């Protein structure tokens, strides 16, 4: 008697179905790629050298890096862990320190956020960040710049600047899929020239329309606050804050990296009670322009531009109390927003240099526990006591590599820093 659970004829039919089915390899490839696109960039980097050749080729490809970046920005921001990189602006350390922004928010008070430090061959500062790439600048010896992805470890070959930067900025031309470095360069002859460098296999510096404002020019109607322009993702623009001490005029100067033209729009109107001796600063918060002003010496008002280039979209995001321990009376500086978790807790640098977490709903603040003992910047205080002259940049991890847009790349320019114990 044949078992109803075993039917030879049906087995033959099922075998025939498997043999004649088409498109399965392609379907499996699509499924594998979809799974890999859901894995954070840092995890994919660790996996890259321990998976089969076809997966390694896929993960290392330019198109996969773009797809992973697009998905993480639009669908799942958790895939690109936010990191904060910093350098010393007053001491010649060839070091970049990096720590996790999320762990600052999520770690218990007794569990410090660890800084991981990287050492370059020369002293370096950070011009800007975009799509996981940091643009590093060495102005001590050779005046050169290079791109570095801390997540993958790859750097581009150094680019000679041919002078000293007056103003500069780094960003992404999303229309033409190009990464660009902007600079107002002062040559040895003291001649000033405004240039853009497009990163690619045959790129070189191109002269563009002069920057509208010159450093220390008495004919300027306003002064530019800060040297490096702020890149706003998705707009292809670099931005500087303009300020006039005579009439408290404040505006934003914008450079369109696609058209390579300038424009200007108003910043949020300052209240009559604002302390006009304290210059506001331009920052980026959640891919939006942010401006912070001190009011009545009692609190900071944080503004966010919800729709880029539309002055009417400036929105008062938060009012934060000005706690005395966070004030430095010797510096005319304001609260500098760095990163916001959801919509209620803000990581910021206070005028005293202390990094603080601010709850914008109840006004409470506290100092996060950040362990910077391994960064080698011995002339600066530990980060939990103050930042000194450390300058901070927020970036998001990605798989984007300089080799993806035709640049020779290597992994030897930046190495893990090992402090002398």
């Amino acid at each position: 008697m044949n078992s109803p659970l075993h039917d030879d004829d049906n087995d033959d039919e099922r075998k025939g179905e498997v043999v004649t089915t088409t498109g399965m390899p392609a379907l499996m490839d699509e499924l594998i790629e979809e799974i890999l696109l859901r894995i954070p960039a840092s995890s994919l980097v660790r996996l890259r050298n321990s998976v089969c050749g076809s997966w390694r080729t896929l993960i290392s490809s330019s198109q996969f890096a773009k797809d992973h970046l697009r998905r993480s920005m639009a669908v799942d921001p958790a895939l690109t862990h936010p990191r904060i990189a910093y350098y010393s602006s007053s001491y010649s350390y060839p070091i970049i320190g990096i720590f996790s922004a999320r762990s600052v928010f999520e770690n218990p008070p007794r569990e410090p956020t660890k800084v991981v430090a990287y050492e370059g061959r020369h002293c370096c500062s950070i011009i800007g960040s975009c799509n996981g790439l940091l643009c590093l600048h060495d102005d001590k010896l050779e005046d050169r710049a290079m791109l570095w992805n801390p997540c993958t470890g790859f750097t581009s070959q150094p680019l000679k600047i041919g002078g000293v930067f007056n103003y500069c900025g780094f960003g992404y031309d999303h229309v033409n899929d190009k990464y660009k470095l902007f600079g107002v360069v002062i040559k040895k002859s003291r001649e000033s020239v405004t240039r853009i460098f497009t990163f690619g296999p045959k790129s070189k510096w191109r002269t563009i329309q002069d920057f509208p404002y010159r450093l220390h020019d008495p004919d300027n109607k306003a002064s530019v606050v800060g040297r490096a322009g702020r890149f706003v993702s998705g707009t292809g623009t670099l931005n500087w804050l303009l300020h006039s001490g005579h009439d408290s005029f404040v505006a934003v100067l914008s450079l369109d990296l696609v058209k390579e033209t300038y424009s200007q729009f108003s910043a949020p109107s300052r209240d009559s009670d604002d302390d006009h001796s304290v210059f506001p600063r331009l920052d980026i918060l959640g891919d939006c322009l942010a401006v912070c002003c001190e009011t009545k010496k009692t609190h900071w008002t944080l503004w966010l531009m919800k729709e880029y280039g539309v002055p009417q979209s400036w929105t008062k995001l938060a009012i934060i109390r000005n706690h005395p321990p966070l004030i430095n009376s010797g510096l005319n500086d304001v609260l500098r927003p760095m990163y916001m978790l959801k919509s209620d807790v803000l990581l910021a640098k206070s005028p005293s240099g202390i990094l603080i977490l601010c709850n914008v709903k109840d006004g409470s603040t506290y100092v996060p526990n950040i362990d910077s003992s391994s960064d080698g910047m011995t002339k600066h205080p530990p980060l939990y006591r103050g930042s000194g002259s450390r300058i901070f940049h927020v970036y998001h991890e990605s798989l984007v590599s300089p080799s993806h847009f035709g640049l020779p790349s290597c992994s030897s320019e930046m190495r893990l820093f090992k402090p002398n114990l």
Side-chain angles (χ1 to χ4, degrees), residues 167-196:
Y167 301 106
C168 56
F170 169 67
Y172 177 61
D173 170 358
H174 58 289
V175 174
N176 299 298
D177 190 24
K178 300 292 184 182
Y179 290 87
K180 296 182 177 182
L181 173 62
F182 164 83
V184 178
V185 181
I186 307 300
K187 298 182 178 181
K188 291 182 179 179
S189 63
R190 307 308 299 168
E191 176 192 2
S192 173
V193 58
T194 303
R195 292 172 168 175
I196 274 188

PDB file of all heavy atoms in Angstrom, residues 167-196:
ATOM      1  N   TYR A 167      38.747  81.938   2.111  1.00  0.00           N
ATOM      2  CA  TYR A 167      37.469  81.273   2.351  1.00  0.00           C
ATOM      3  C   TYR A 167      37.476  79.965   1.581  1.00  0.00           C
ATOM      4  O   TYR A 167      38.152  79.832   0.549  1.00  0.00           O
ATOM      5  CB  TYR A 167      36.297  82.151   1.900  1.00  0.00           C
ATOM      6  CG  TYR A 167      36.252  83.490   2.599  1.00  0.00           C
ATOM      7  CD1 TYR A 167      36.612  84.657   1.933  1.00  0.00           C
ATOM      8  CD2 TYR A 167      35.854  83.578   3.929  1.00  0.00           C
ATOM      9  CE1 TYR A 167      36.580  85.888   2.589  1.00  0.00           C
ATOM     10  CE2 TYR A 167      35.832  84.797   4.581  1.00  0.00           C
ATOM     11  CZ  TYR A 167      36.195  85.950   3.909  1.00  0.00           C
ATOM     12  OH  TYR A 167      36.173  87.142   4.559  1.00  0.00           O
ATOM     13  N   CYS A 168      36.724  78.998   2.071  1.00  0.00           N
ATOM     14  CA  CYS A 168      36.759  77.686   1.428  1.00  0.00           C
ATOM     15  C   CYS A 168      35.476  76.925   1.759  1.00  0.00           C
ATOM     16  O   CYS A 168      34.664  77.357   2.578  1.00  0.00           O
ATOM     17  CB  CYS A 168      37.984  76.883   1.866  1.00  0.00           C
ATOM     18  SG  CYS A 168      38.114  76.674   3.669  1.00  0.00           S
ATOM     19  N   GLY A 169      35.312  75.779   1.127  1.00  0.00           N
ATOM     20  CA  GLY A 169      34.152  74.933   1.389  1.00  0.00           C
ATOM     21  C   GLY A 169      34.215  73.676   0.545  1.00  0.00           C
ATOM     22  O   GLY A 169      34.843  73.659  -0.523  1.00  0.00           O
ATOM     23  N   PHE A 170      33.556  72.636   1.026  1.00  0.00           N
ATOM     24  CA  PHE A 170      33.522  71.345   0.334  1.00  0.00           C
ATOM     25  C   PHE A 170      32.086  70.858   0.275  1.00  0.00           C
ATOM     26  O   PHE A 170      31.349  70.947   1.269  1.00  0.00           O
ATOM     27  CB  PHE A 170      34.390  70.325   1.077  1.00  0.00           C
ATOM     28  CG  PHE A 170      34.205  68.904   0.596  1.00  0.00           C
ATOM     29  CD1 PHE A 170      34.606  68.521  -0.677  1.00  0.00           C
ATOM     30  CD2 PHE A 170      33.625  67.945   1.421  1.00  0.00           C
ATOM     31  CE1 PHE A 170      34.435  67.216  -1.112  1.00  0.00           C
ATOM     32  CE2 PHE A 170      33.451  66.643   1.001  1.00  0.00           C
ATOM     33  CZ  PHE A 170      33.859  66.275  -0.280  1.00  0.00           C
ATOM     34  N   GLY A 171      31.651  70.371  -0.905  1.00  0.00           N
ATOM     35  CA  GLY A 171      30.282  69.894  -1.031  1.00  0.00           C
ATOM     36  C   GLY A 171      30.072  69.044  -2.262  1.00  0.00           C
ATOM     37  O   GLY A 171      31.026  68.715  -2.992  1.00  0.00           O
ATOM     38  N   TYR A 172      28.810  68.717  -2.503  1.00  0.00           N
ATOM     39  CA  TYR A 172      28.437  67.767  -3.546  1.00  0.00           C
ATOM     40  C   TYR A 172      27.462  68.413  -4.519  1.00  0.00           C
ATOM     41  O   TYR A 172      26.430  68.950  -4.111  1.00  0.00           O
ATOM     42  CB  TYR A 172      27.816  66.530  -2.900  1.00  0.00           C
ATOM     43  CG  TYR A 172      27.307  65.488  -3.860  1.00  0.00           C
ATOM     44  CD1 TYR A 172      28.160  64.849  -4.756  1.00  0.00           C
ATOM     45  CD2 TYR A 172      25.962  65.108  -3.856  1.00  0.00           C
ATOM     46  CE1 TYR A 172      27.693  63.875  -5.625  1.00  0.00           C
ATOM     47  CE2 TYR A 172      25.486  64.135  -4.715  1.00  0.00           C
ATOM     48  CZ  TYR A 172      26.353  63.518  -5.601  1.00  0.00           C
ATOM     49  OH  TYR A 172      25.889  62.555  -6.464  1.00  0.00           O
ATOM     50  N   ASP A 173      27.825  68.380  -5.801  1.00  0.00           N
ATOM     51  CA  ASP A 173      26.955  68.822  -6.887  1.00  0.00           C
ATOM     52  C   ASP A 173      26.094  67.626  -7.281  1.00  0.00           C
ATOM     53  O   ASP A 173      26.526  66.743  -8.015  1.00  0.00           O
ATOM     54  CB  ASP A 173      27.832  69.313  -8.050  1.00  0.00           C
ATOM     55  CG  ASP A 173      27.044  69.567  -9.334  1.00  0.00           C
ATOM     56  OD1 ASP A 173      25.824  69.329  -9.365  1.00  0.00           O
ATOM     57  OD2 ASP A 173      27.669  69.991 -10.322  1.00  0.00           O
ATOM     58  N   HIS A 174      24.855  67.583  -6.761  1.00  0.00           N
ATOM     59  CA  HIS A 174      23.990  66.424  -6.942  1.00  0.00           C
ATOM     60  C   HIS A 174      23.432  66.310  -8.360  1.00  0.00           C
ATOM     61  O   HIS A 174      23.000  65.229  -8.771  1.00  0.00           O
ATOM     62  CB  HIS A 174      22.829  66.467  -5.942  1.00  0.00           C
ATOM     63  CG  HIS A 174      21.986  67.707  -6.054  1.00  0.00           C
ATOM     64  ND1 HIS A 174      22.435  68.950  -5.668  1.00  0.00           N
ATOM     65  CD2 HIS A 174      20.728  67.900  -6.522  1.00  0.00           C
ATOM     66  CE1 HIS A 174      21.495  69.842  -5.883  1.00  0.00           C
ATOM     67  NE2 HIS A 174      20.442  69.241  -6.402  1.00  0.00           N
ATOM     68  N   VAL A 175      23.438  67.390  -9.118  1.00  0.00           N
ATOM     69  CA  VAL A 175      22.938  67.346 -10.491  1.00  0.00           C
ATOM     70  C   VAL A 175      23.936  66.642 -11.401  1.00  0.00           C
ATOM     71  O   VAL A 175      23.568  65.795 -12.229  1.00  0.00           O
ATOM     72  CB  VAL A 175      22.637  68.773 -11.001  1.00  0.00           C
ATOM     73  CG1 VAL A 175      22.254  68.741 -12.481  1.00  0.00           C
ATOM     74  CG2 VAL A 175      21.519  69.399 -10.173  1.00  0.00           C
ATOM     75  N   ASN A 176      25.208  66.969 -11.242  1.00  0.00           N
ATOM     76  CA  ASN A 176      26.250  66.392 -12.090  1.00  0.00           C
ATOM     77  C   ASN A 176      27.031  65.275 -11.408  1.00  0.00           C
ATOM     78  O   ASN A 176      27.996  64.763 -11.981  1.00  0.00           O
ATOM     79  CB  ASN A 176      27.220  67.496 -12.530  1.00  0.00           C
ATOM     80  CG  ASN A 176      26.522  68.568 -13.343  1.00  0.00           C
ATOM     81  OD1 ASN A 176      25.988  68.300 -14.409  1.00  0.00           O
ATOM     82  ND2 ASN A 176      26.506  69.799 -12.821  1.00  0.00           N
ATOM     83  N   ASP A 177      26.602  64.906 -10.188  1.00  0.00           N
ATOM     84  CA  ASP A 177      27.257  63.827  -9.439  1.00  0.00           C
ATOM     85  C   ASP A 177      28.754  64.099  -9.286  1.00  0.00           C
ATOM     86  O   ASP A 177      29.597  63.255  -9.593  1.00  0.00           O
ATOM     87  CB  ASP A 177      27.020  62.479 -10.138  1.00  0.00           C
ATOM     88  CG  ASP A 177      27.466  61.289  -9.281  1.00  0.00           C
ATOM     89  OD1 ASP A 177      27.513  61.442  -8.046  1.00  0.00           O
ATOM     90  OD2 ASP A 177      27.770  60.221  -9.857  1.00  0.00           O
ATOM     91  N   LYS A 178      29.098  65.301  -8.791  1.00  0.00           N
ATOM     92  CA  LYS A 178      30.488  65.695  -8.641  1.00  0.00           C
ATOM     93  C   LYS A 178      30.731  66.251  -7.236  1.00  0.00           C
ATOM     94  O   LYS A 178      29.909  66.997  -6.700  1.00  0.00           O
ATOM     95  CB  LYS A 178      30.868  66.777  -9.666  1.00  0.00           C
ATOM     96  CG  LYS A 178      30.708  66.359 -11.128  1.00  0.00           C
ATOM     97  CD  LYS A 178      31.698  65.287 -11.533  1.00  0.00           C
ATOM     98  CE  LYS A 178      31.574  64.970 -13.028  1.00  0.00           C
ATOM     99  NZ  LYS A 178      32.516  63.892 -13.433  1.00  0.00           N
ATOM    100  N   TYR A 179      31.880  65.909  -6.679  1.00  0.00           N
ATOM    101  CA  TYR A 179      32.317  66.495  -5.413  1.00  0.00           C
ATOM    102  C   TYR A 179      33.251  67.658  -5.726  1.00  0.00           C
ATOM    103  O   TYR A 179      34.161  67.530  -6.561  1.00  0.00           O
ATOM    104  CB  TYR A 179      33.019  65.449  -4.547  1.00  0.00           C
ATOM    105  CG  TYR A 179      32.069  64.410  -4.015  1.00  0.00           C
ATOM    106  CD1 TYR A 179      31.765  63.267  -4.760  1.00  0.00           C
ATOM    107  CD2 TYR A 179      31.439  64.578  -2.781  1.00  0.00           C
ATOM    108  CE1 TYR A 179      30.875  62.320  -4.288  1.00  0.00           C
ATOM    109  CE2 TYR A 179      30.545  63.628  -2.300  1.00  0.00           C
ATOM    110  CZ  TYR A 179      30.267  62.504  -3.062  1.00  0.00           C
ATOM    111  OH  TYR A 179      29.371  61.572  -2.593  1.00  0.00           O
ATOM    112  N   LYS A 180      33.035  68.799  -5.047  1.00  0.00           N
ATOM    113  CA  LYS A 180      33.768  70.015  -5.390  1.00  0.00           C
ATOM    114  C   LYS A 180      34.360  70.674  -4.153  1.00  0.00           C
ATOM    115  O   LYS A 180      33.734  70.705  -3.091  1.00  0.00           O
ATOM    116  CB  LYS A 180      32.844  71.005  -6.110  1.00  0.00           C
ATOM    117  CG  LYS A 180      32.330  70.503  -7.468  1.00  0.00           C
ATOM    118  CD  LYS A 180      31.454  71.536  -8.161  1.00  0.00           C
ATOM    119  CE  LYS A 180      31.013  71.054  -9.545  1.00  0.00           C
ATOM    120  NZ  LYS A 180      30.188  72.074 -10.242  1.00  0.00           N
ATOM    121  N   LEU A 181      35.566  71.214  -4.358  1.00  0.00           N
ATOM    122  CA  LEU A 181      36.255  72.000  -3.333  1.00  0.00           C
ATOM    123  C   LEU A 181      36.345  73.435  -3.820  1.00  0.00           C
ATOM    124  O   LEU A 181      36.853  73.701  -4.909  1.00  0.00           O
ATOM    125  CB  LEU A 181      37.651  71.437  -3.082  1.00  0.00           C
ATOM    126  CG  LEU A 181      38.565  72.239  -2.148  1.00  0.00           C
ATOM    127  CD1 LEU A 181      37.959  72.327  -0.747  1.00  0.00           C
ATOM    128  CD2 LEU A 181      39.944  71.602  -2.086  1.00  0.00           C
ATOM    129  N   PHE A 182      35.835  74.367  -3.014  1.00  0.00           N
ATOM    130  CA  PHE A 182      35.843  75.787  -3.347  1.00  0.00           C
ATOM    131  C   PHE A 182      36.887  76.495  -2.503  1.00  0.00           C
ATOM    132  O   PHE A 182      37.089  76.160  -1.332  1.00  0.00           O
ATOM    133  CB  PHE A 182      34.461  76.388  -3.069  1.00  0.00           C
ATOM    134  CG  PHE A 182      34.447  77.890  -3.013  1.00  0.00           C
ATOM    135  CD1 PHE A 182      34.357  78.649  -4.172  1.00  0.00           C
ATOM    136  CD2 PHE A 182      34.539  78.559  -1.791  1.00  0.00           C
ATOM    137  CE1 PHE A 182      34.349  80.032  -4.116  1.00  0.00           C
ATOM    138  CE2 PHE A 182      34.528  79.938  -1.723  1.00  0.00           C
ATOM    139  CZ  PHE A 182      34.443  80.680  -2.896  1.00  0.00           C
ATOM    140  N   GLY A 183      37.550  77.484  -3.094  1.00  0.00           N
ATOM    141  CA  GLY A 183      38.509  78.243  -2.305  1.00  0.00           C
ATOM    142  C   GLY A 183      38.809  79.614  -2.880  1.00  0.00           C
ATOM    143  O   GLY A 183      38.903  79.773  -4.098  1.00  0.00           O
ATOM    144  N   VAL A 184      38.897  80.600  -2.003  1.00  0.00           N
ATOM    145  CA  VAL A 184      39.481  81.889  -2.357  1.00  0.00           C
ATOM    146  C   VAL A 184      40.949  81.791  -1.941  1.00  0.00           C
ATOM    147  O   VAL A 184      41.269  81.757  -0.748  1.00  0.00           O
ATOM    148  CB  VAL A 184      38.784  83.050  -1.634  1.00  0.00           C
ATOM    149  CG1 VAL A 184      39.450  84.378  -1.998  1.00  0.00           C
ATOM    150  CG2 VAL A 184      37.301  83.086  -1.979  1.00  0.00           C
ATOM    151  N   VAL A 185      41.832  81.672  -2.922  1.00  0.00           N
ATOM    152  CA  VAL A 185      43.234  81.337  -2.680  1.00  0.00           C
ATOM    153  C   VAL A 185      44.094  82.600  -2.794  1.00  0.00           C
ATOM    154  O   VAL A 185      43.993  83.342  -3.775  1.00  0.00           O
ATOM    155  CB  VAL A 185      43.719  80.276  -3.682  1.00  0.00           C
ATOM    156  CG1 VAL A 185      45.180  79.914  -3.417  1.00  0.00           C
ATOM    157  CG2 VAL A 185      42.842  79.026  -3.599  1.00  0.00           C
ATOM    158  N   ILE A 186      44.927  82.811  -1.777  1.00  0.00           N
ATOM    159  CA  ILE A 186      45.897  83.902  -1.798  1.00  0.00           C
ATOM    160  C   ILE A 186      47.245  83.319  -2.221  1.00  0.00           C
ATOM    161  O   ILE A 186      47.831  82.511  -1.506  1.00  0.00           O
ATOM    162  CB  ILE A 186      46.024  84.591  -0.423  1.00  0.00           C
ATOM    163  CG1 ILE A 186      44.646  85.020   0.092  1.00  0.00           C
ATOM    164  CG2 ILE A 186      46.963  85.786  -0.509  1.00  0.00           C
ATOM    165  CD1 ILE A 186      43.927  85.991  -0.800  1.00  0.00           C
ATOM    166  N   LYS A 187      47.715  83.715  -3.379  1.00  0.00           N
ATOM    167  CA  LYS A 187      48.986  83.210  -3.896  1.00  0.00           C
ATOM    168  C   LYS A 187      50.159  83.904  -3.204  1.00  0.00           C
ATOM    169  O   LYS A 187      49.990  84.876  -2.464  1.00  0.00           O
ATOM    170  CB  LYS A 187      49.057  83.435  -5.404  1.00  0.00           C
ATOM    171  CG  LYS A 187      47.980  82.701  -6.203  1.00  0.00           C
ATOM    172  CD  LYS A 187      48.170  82.957  -7.686  1.00  0.00           C
ATOM    173  CE  LYS A 187      47.156  82.207  -8.526  1.00  0.00           C
ATOM    174  NZ  LYS A 187      47.356  82.439  -9.980  1.00  0.00           N
ATOM    175  N   LYS A 188      51.379  83.401  -3.476  1.00  0.00           N
ATOM    176  CA  LYS A 188      52.574  83.998  -2.897  1.00  0.00           C
ATOM    177  C   LYS A 188      52.745  85.447  -3.341  1.00  0.00           C
ATOM    178  O   LYS A 188      53.330  86.261  -2.634  1.00  0.00           O
ATOM    179  CB  LYS A 188      53.797  83.179  -3.278  1.00  0.00           C
ATOM    180  CG  LYS A 188      53.847  81.801  -2.620  1.00  0.00           C
ATOM    181  CD  LYS A 188      55.105  81.047  -2.997  1.00  0.00           C
ATOM    182  CE  LYS A 188      55.142  79.685  -2.307  1.00  0.00           C
ATOM    183  NZ  LYS A 188      56.361  78.916  -2.677  1.00  0.00           N
ATOM    184  N   SER A 189      52.222  85.766  -4.535  1.00  0.00           N
ATOM    185  CA  SER A 189      52.303  87.138  -5.043  1.00  0.00           C
ATOM    186  C   SER A 189      51.302  88.056  -4.365  1.00  0.00           C
ATOM    187  O   SER A 189      51.230  89.231  -4.704  1.00  0.00           O
ATOM    188  CB  SER A 189      52.051  87.136  -6.554  1.00  0.00           C
ATOM    189  OG  SER A 189      50.733  86.662  -6.833  1.00  0.00           O
ATOM    190  N   ARG A 190      50.495  87.517  -3.418  1.00  0.00           N
ATOM    191  CA  ARG A 190      49.417  88.211  -2.707  1.00  0.00           C
ATOM    192  C   ARG A 190      48.188  88.417  -3.574  1.00  0.00           C
ATOM    193  O   ARG A 190      47.227  89.061  -3.174  1.00  0.00           O
ATOM    194  CB  ARG A 190      49.866  89.575  -2.146  1.00  0.00           C
ATOM    195  CG  ARG A 190      51.117  89.511  -1.285  1.00  0.00           C
ATOM    196  CD  ARG A 190      51.015  88.475  -0.208  1.00  0.00           C
ATOM    197  NE  ARG A 190      49.917  88.725   0.716  1.00  0.00           N
ATOM    198  CZ  ARG A 190      49.467  87.843   1.610  1.00  0.00           C
ATOM    199  NH1 ARG A 190      50.001  86.640   1.667  1.00  0.00           N
ATOM    200  NH2 ARG A 190      48.473  88.151   2.409  1.00  0.00           N
ATOM    201  N   GLU A 191      48.219  87.884  -4.779  1.00  0.00           N
ATOM    202  CA  GLU A 191      47.041  87.937  -5.654  1.00  0.00           C
ATOM    203  C   GLU A 191      45.976  86.986  -5.129  1.00  0.00           C
ATOM    204  O   GLU A 191      46.274  85.880  -4.686  1.00  0.00           O
ATOM    205  CB  GLU A 191      47.427  87.546  -7.081  1.00  0.00           C
ATOM    206  CG  GLU A 191      46.246  87.484  -8.048  1.00  0.00           C
ATOM    207  CD  GLU A 191      46.604  86.823  -9.367  1.00  0.00           C
ATOM    208  OE1 GLU A 191      47.761  86.386  -9.521  1.00  0.00           O
ATOM    209  OE2 GLU A 191      45.712  86.737 -10.241  1.00  0.00           O
ATOM    210  N   SER A 192      44.719  87.432  -5.183  1.00  0.00           N
ATOM    211  CA  SER A 192      43.598  86.615  -4.743  1.00  0.00           C
ATOM    212  C   SER A 192      42.852  86.064  -5.951  1.00  0.00           C
ATOM    213  O   SER A 192      42.555  86.802  -6.892  1.00  0.00           O
ATOM    214  CB  SER A 192      42.639  87.442  -3.877  1.00  0.00           C
ATOM    215  OG  SER A 192      41.483  86.716  -3.568  1.00  0.00           O
ATOM    216  N   VAL A 193      42.562  84.765  -5.930  1.00  0.00           N
ATOM    217  CA  VAL A 193      41.835  84.144  -7.035  1.00  0.00           C
ATOM    218  C   VAL A 193      40.790  83.197  -6.461  1.00  0.00           C
ATOM    219  O   VAL A 193      41.030  82.503  -5.471  1.00  0.00           O
ATOM    220  CB  VAL A 193      42.804  83.395  -7.988  1.00  0.00           C
ATOM    221  CG1 VAL A 193      43.585  82.327  -7.246  1.00  0.00           C
ATOM    222  CG2 VAL A 193      42.056  82.797  -9.178  1.00  0.00           C
ATOM    223  N   THR A 194      39.595  83.194  -7.056  1.00  0.00           N
ATOM    224  CA  THR A 194      38.489  82.333  -6.607  1.00  0.00           C
ATOM    225  C   THR A 194      38.414  81.120  -7.516  1.00  0.00           C
ATOM    226  O   THR A 194      38.252  81.251  -8.729  1.00  0.00           O
ATOM    227  CB  THR A 194      37.154  83.096  -6.643  1.00  0.00           C
ATOM    228  OG1 THR A 194      37.273  84.278  -5.835  1.00  0.00           O
ATOM    229  CG2 THR A 194      36.032  82.239  -6.089  1.00  0.00           C
ATOM    230  N   ARG A 195      38.499  79.917  -6.915  1.00  0.00           N
ATOM    231  CA  ARG A 195      38.621  78.691  -7.710  1.00  0.00           C
ATOM    232  C   ARG A 195      37.677  77.599  -7.217  1.00  0.00           C
ATOM    233  O   ARG A 195      37.253  77.597  -6.056  1.00  0.00           O
ATOM    234  CB  ARG A 195      40.056  78.151  -7.637  1.00  0.00           C
ATOM    235  CG  ARG A 195      41.110  79.008  -8.313  1.00  0.00           C
ATOM    236  CD  ARG A 195      42.487  78.464  -8.009  1.00  0.00           C
ATOM    237  NE  ARG A 195      43.520  79.047  -8.837  1.00  0.00           N
ATOM    238  CZ  ARG A 195      44.807  78.815  -8.696  1.00  0.00           C
ATOM    239  NH1 ARG A 195      45.222  77.995  -7.732  1.00  0.00           N
ATOM    240  NH2 ARG A 195      45.681  79.373  -9.493  1.00  0.00           N
ATOM    241  N   ILE A 196      37.421  76.667  -8.112  1.00  0.00           N
ATOM    242  CA  ILE A 196      36.711  75.434  -7.758  1.00  0.00           C
ATOM    243  C   ILE A 196      37.476  74.257  -8.344  1.00  0.00           C
ATOM    244  O   ILE A 196      37.922  74.306  -9.494  1.00  0.00           O
ATOM    245  CB  ILE A 196      35.257  75.448  -8.275  1.00  0.00           C
ATOM    246  CG1 ILE A 196      34.337  76.142  -7.271  1.00  0.00           C
ATOM    247  CG2 ILE A 196      34.740  74.033  -8.528  1.00  0.00           C
ATOM    248  CD1 ILE A 196      32.863  76.045  -7.575  1.00  0.00           C
TER     249      ILE A 196
END
